[in-house]
Amino acid sequence: MDKRVKWGIIILIVVGLTGLGLYRFLPRKHDSQANEAPVATSSQQSRRVLNVDAVVVREQTLIDDYATKSRLMPDEEVDLSFQTSGLITNIYFTEGTYVKKRTTTGQG
């Protein structure tokens, strides 16, 4: 296929799409007549029923608490390492009690 033929097809497609786009926005006679609402007579207005949805607004307190069941997962992990190697044979304090820094047990 020649370059001129390809460009001719492309130009025809672009012009056709542009023309369709412009044609869509042109005013039509039947659209203007459809937009006009029919005039109701007084007998028709008295028989019309107007449906209305309403909600009674009352004062109430807002609560921002949400109760959910969940599990917390740590974002980071830490590996503990000790400065000396050895085996722990006994612990000389009760679990949950306070121990001061550099406290010794007297067990040399």
Side-chain angles (χ1 to χ4, degrees):
M1 201 181 271
D2 192 77
K3 281 186 177 182
R4 290 183 213 165
V5 175
K6 286 182 185 179
W7 279 106
I9 293 172
I10 292 172
I11 289 172
L12 283 175
I13 291 173
V14 170
V15 169
L17 290 174
T18 306
L20 285 174
L22 292 175
Y23 177 74
R24 182 176 172 205
F25 292 107
L26 290 176
R28 296 189 186 107
K29 290 182 182 179
H30 66 279
D31 285 345
S32 61
Q33 292 173 355
N35 288 338
E36 294 176 7
V39 178
T41 61
S42 61
S43 63
Q44 290 176 341
Q45 288 179 352
S46 63
R47 287 185 270 152
R48 273 186 24 197
V49 176
L50 181 61
N51 294 327
V52 177
D53 294 328
V55 176
V56 177
V57 179
R58 295 186 179 138
E59 185 177 330
Q60 64 182 13
T61 58
L62 292 177
I63 299 173
D64 291 335
D65 295 336
Y66 296 104
T68 61
K69 293 183 180 181
S70 62
R71 180 178 296 172
L72 294 175
M73 300 300 291
D75 188 35
E76 298 177 2
E77 292 182 9
V78 177
D79 291 328
L80 298 176
S81 62
F82 301 99
Q83 293 180 358
T84 60
S85 61
L87 183 64
I88 298 173
T89 57
N90 207 351
I91 298 176
Y92 297 102
F93 61 89
T94 307
E95 184 177 344
T97 60
Y98 290 102
V99 179
K100 293 182 180 180
K101 187 177 181 179
R102 300 180 194 251
T103 303
T104 60
T105 61
Q107 304 282 335

